[in-house]
Amino acid sequence: MAERMDDAARRALAALEDRLDERTAAYLNACVRCGLCADSCHVFLATGDPETIPAKKAERVARLYRRYHTLLGRIAPRFAGAEDASDEALDALATAAFGRCTVCGRCALHCSVGLDPAAILRFARLMAQAAGRVPKGIQASIDLARATGNNMGIAREDVIETLSWLEEDLRDTTGDASIQLPVDRPGARVYYVLNPRELKFFPLSISAAGMIFHAAGENWTLSSTDFDLTNYGMFAADEAAAGEFSGRIVRRAEELGVEELVVAECGHGYRALRWEAPEWLGRRLPFRVTSFVEVMARYLAEGRLALDPSRNPARVTLHDPCNLVRHGGVIEEQRRVLRAAVADFVEMTPNRLDNYCCGGGGGLLAASEHAAARLEAGRPKADQIRATGAKVVAAPCHNCIDQLGEINRHYKLGVEVKTIAEIVADALTTGGPG
Amino acid sequence: MPHLEIAGRTFLVDEEGFLQQPDVWNDEVAALFAASDGVEELTPEHWAVVRFIRSYWEQSGSAPMVRLLCKETGVNLRTIYKLFPAGPAKGACKYAGLPKPDGCV
């Protein structure tokens, strides 16, 4: 550490003091150590390491809390199960919160007394962040987004050129010269925001969205400047950064005067804009916020998309991203869409709210120092996928897609990983590739 | 910092296997990194992609947009994903000896 330990400890303890709400304090004191949360955690299932049991990880916060906020902890810490905020304790807290937990929230569903260990782990991230212990890849993505407006540092002209190139490619491949990828269009009803990795490396999901909007006759636009839906501030429990990132998109939506902000397939980006942004910004948003998954389901229900499922004959299974499903409440829409778009859809087990994290959530994908642990933590997901016999995994989250791609190669699953929009675009009989 | 051993040579890499010694990179290193990742044979298209990424990075310090990659190498976008199953970032950029790009990759 570049600075004196006691400064970092002081900031972590100040975060504990300032931000500890009644709910979290109650959670800290109420764990009965039954151990039921152990088997709920994909990290524990993958590693068998007792240190990764959710209650054990949460206990790291509780030990610091008891040391500084209870009488017995102050006078006889060893008898109170309390611990000093030492350099080692803060390092262990950061590793537990950022490297051995994806804040997926599955443990909260399995707690015998109704606690939420993930809420405590989010609090652990807040303390670790205050102590300057955010993994460097997550911090670098925050810094780049602050400096350039997006987390990959993509320049405005590169956005415009990429979209124009994709539009041309779309017209060529579909034979439909009227298809558009509109940018900064005033008067649009829908403002569609992206994950920068789509523009930089994986743009076919943007083309798919363009085909679907076109087929549905939507009046939509992209932004050449405020296009980045990601929010690594949320992962780092850095609310100032989180509010800054969501604030950019909210202001742009207001300038454009759109009715609806549509978030591309990204779990944490949806959660940030749909559920967290009003909290960070301290106000209600004057437009609707939806996931593109919900929009596709709505178009289907309204009869605005004609799909031929026989165009997707291979068996498809579905991954439920934690931030879209467990934390986001978008559960059935993706299933309705897939049943209409593919010939052979199978659920993995468990699924929906009880689904396992891919292992790369919570920003872990950007934290290279935990890469080996992340791949290991993907094993329960790999087992789930293999058991379905599917050839395609649909994943409505770009972060999950990257992790699923890695576990696909690491565990030799032999599947293709796709966004739901790409699968739908392949099944389109109107505006689709002939 | 971890090490990666391929064919009797040892490289300094980050935890995800991205080369941390820009000076040691050459064609042989690119082929070794690709082979260790399951891309055994590098075709002229592979080389066009890897060399363009390398020279772009040496000049600008960042990885090129995939649009520019396609435009400058003449390789079709869909072909890029077939050539590099790990993708442009975790495949092509890694074999070109770049550090890991930021963001969701």
Side-chain angles (χ1 to χ4, degrees):
Chain A
M1 293 299 114
E3 63 182 320
R4 288 192 357 261
M5 177 51 228
D6 49 0
D7 288 340
R10 194 170 39 72
R11 290 197 306 271
L13 294 173
L16 177 66
E17 178 118 3
D18 294 349
R19 303 298 302 281
L20 189 69
D21 55 305
E22 286 170 7
R23 190 184 69 153
T24 315
Y27 286 167
L28 286 176
N29 286 307
C31 175
V32 297
R33 295 175 179 75
C34 71
L36 273 183
C37 57
D39 286 343
S40 74
C41 177
H42 63 286
V43 185
F44 176 73
L45 290 176
T47 62
D49 175 1
E51 290 300 320
T52 66
I53 294 171
K56 196 89 195 249
K57 291 182 275 194
E59 173 70 6
R60 294 190 181 280
V61 178
R63 291 174 70 82
L64 294 172
Y65 172 80
R66 285 187 211 113
R67 174 66 183 83
Y68 300 96
H69 293 274
T70 67
L71 182 62
L72 192 60
R74 282 193 205 105
I75 56 175
R78 267 190 235 168
F79 294 101
E83 185 177 11
D84 285 346
S86 65
D87 210 347
E88 295 74 29
L90 291 176
D91 283 345
L93 180 77
T95 297
F98 282 108
R100 303 294 178 271
C101 171
T102 54
V103 209
C104 80
R106 192 169 188 272
C107 48
L109 298 181
H110 294 266
C111 175
S112 63
V113 289
L115 309 181
D116 184 353
I120 301 174
L121 268 298
R122 277 201 296 280
F123 205 84
R125 286 189 174 206
L126 179 74
M127 293 174 69
Q129 184 261 125
R133 281 164 167 77
V134 174
K136 54 184 186 301
I138 294 179
Q139 191 60 51
S141 295
I142 292 172
D143 295 344
L144 200 54
R146 275 220 154 111
T148 69
N150 66 85
N151 78 3
M152 297 187 97
I154 303 171
R156 180 166 182 264
E157 54 269 33
D158 283 329
V159 177
I160 292 170
E161 283 173 7
T162 294
L163 293 171
S164 149
W165 167 69
L166 284 176
E167 185 177 81
E168 197 177 315
D169 176 74
L170 260 180
R171 289 174 178 177
D172 286 349
T173 51
T174 61
D176 182 346
S178 67
I179 198 161
Q180 287 186 316
L181 295 178
V183 189
D184 303 326
R185 174 188 282 173
R189 196 192 74 77
V190 162
Y191 167 26
Y192 185 64
V193 286
L194 306 168
N195 187 312
R197 70 182 240 122
E198 295 181 83
L199 284 164
K200 182 117 188 175
F201 294 127
F202 300 97
L204 291 173
S205 49
I206 303 175
S207 303
M211 285 167 64
I212 293 163
F213 278 133
H214 180 70
E218 187 60 85
N219 175 16
W220 69 296
T221 191
L222 293 148
S223 165
S224 63
T225 48
D226 303 290
F227 57 83
D228 180 0
L229 60 74
T230 69
N231 199 319
Y232 278 60
M234 184 172 87
F235 289 146
D238 179 346
E239 293 197 359
E244 183 182 330
F245 301 150
S246 56
R248 284 175 185 160
I249 288 177
V250 168
R251 275 193 303 279
R252 187 81 181 111
E254 287 170 334
E255 283 163 16
L256 287 163
V258 294
E259 286 173 31
E260 186 168 352
L261 170 66
V262 177
V263 184
E265 293 174 60
C266 173
H268 91 276
Y270 173 74
R271 177 181 174 182
L273 287 162
R274 174 67 181 88
W275 300 112
E276 310 289 348
E279 296 287 332
W280 294 325
L281 303 174
R283 62 189 175 97
R284 289 174 71 98
L285 308 185
F287 47 81
R288 187 175 181 185
V289 181
T290 48
S291 160
F292 193 52
V293 170
E294 296 171 278
V295 172
M296 288 186 279
R298 193 197 313 152
Y299 290 159
L300 271 176
E302 292 170 354
R304 292 162 71 180
L305 296 178
L307 302 183
D308 174 4
S310 73
R311 294 189 184 188
N312 287 311
R315 176 172 288 186
V316 178
T317 190
L318 171 68
H319 168 66
D320 285 302
C322 311
N323 278 314
L324 184 72
V325 178
R326 207 154 30 233
H327 295 301
V330 179
I331 303 166
E332 297 302 328
E333 286 84 349
Q334 51 273 49
R335 295 174 159 80
R336 287 204 288 274
V337 171
L338 283 176
R339 282 192 202 101
V342 309
D344 182 10
F345 171 63
V346 290
E347 292 280 2
M348 54 178 85
T349 308
N351 58 56
R352 296 179 170 84
L353 292 177
D354 203 30
N355 196 32
Y356 289 117
C357 174
C358 63
L364 203 54
L365 209 65
S368 293
E369 57 269 56
H370 301 301
R374 165 169 63 75
L375 271 181
E376 187 181 19
R379 193 176 48 76
K381 178 54 60 181
D383 292 343
Q384 272 190 294
I385 293 170
R386 192 177 277 120
T388 64
K391 293 292 169 209
V392 177
V393 180
C397 171
H398 285 283
N399 187 89
C400 299
I401 281 177
D402 221 65
Q403 165 77 353
L404 292 169
E406 280 204 45
I407 65 175
N408 182 29
R409 290 188 297 280
H410 186 75
Y411 295 99
K412 302 188 169 31
L413 301 176
V415 294
E416 259 191 287
V417 186
K418 291 180 167 181
T419 63
I420 294 186
E422 288 172 278
I423 292 169
V424 168
D426 283 344
L428 274 177
T429 57
T430 49
Chain B
M1 192 74 67
H3 292 79
L4 179 68
E5 277 193 35
I6 322 173
R9 291 187 59 180
T10 304
F11 300 97
L12 200 58
V13 295
D14 77 354
E15 293 84 347
E16 298 192 60
F18 285 83
L19 185 65
Q20 300 294 297
Q21 305 160 282
D23 297 345
V24 308
W25 187 88
N26 57 24
D27 282 3
E28 189 200 348
V29 173
L32 287 174
F33 271 61
S36 80
D37 207 26
V39 181
E40 299 287 345
E41 196 191 329
L42 294 179
T43 64
E45 281 186 317
H46 283 104
W47 280 117
V49 169
V50 166
R51 290 205 175 107
F52 176 71
I53 289 174
R54 182 70 192 184
S55 66
Y56 185 91
W57 178 75
E58 283 175 353
Q59 284 163 32
S60 73
S62 64
M65 304 285 291
V66 74
R67 178 196 75 87
L68 200 61
L69 193 53
C70 293
K71 187 177 158 219
E72 295 296 324
T73 61
V75 178
N76 178 283
L77 175 61
R78 289 157 186 87
T79 308
I80 300 245
Y81 304 115
K82 291 198 179 77
L83 293 173
F84 300 95
K90 284 183 170 162
C93 288
K94 186 185 275 183
Y95 315 153
L98 272 59
K100 185 185 178 233
D102 289 322
C104 293
V105 292

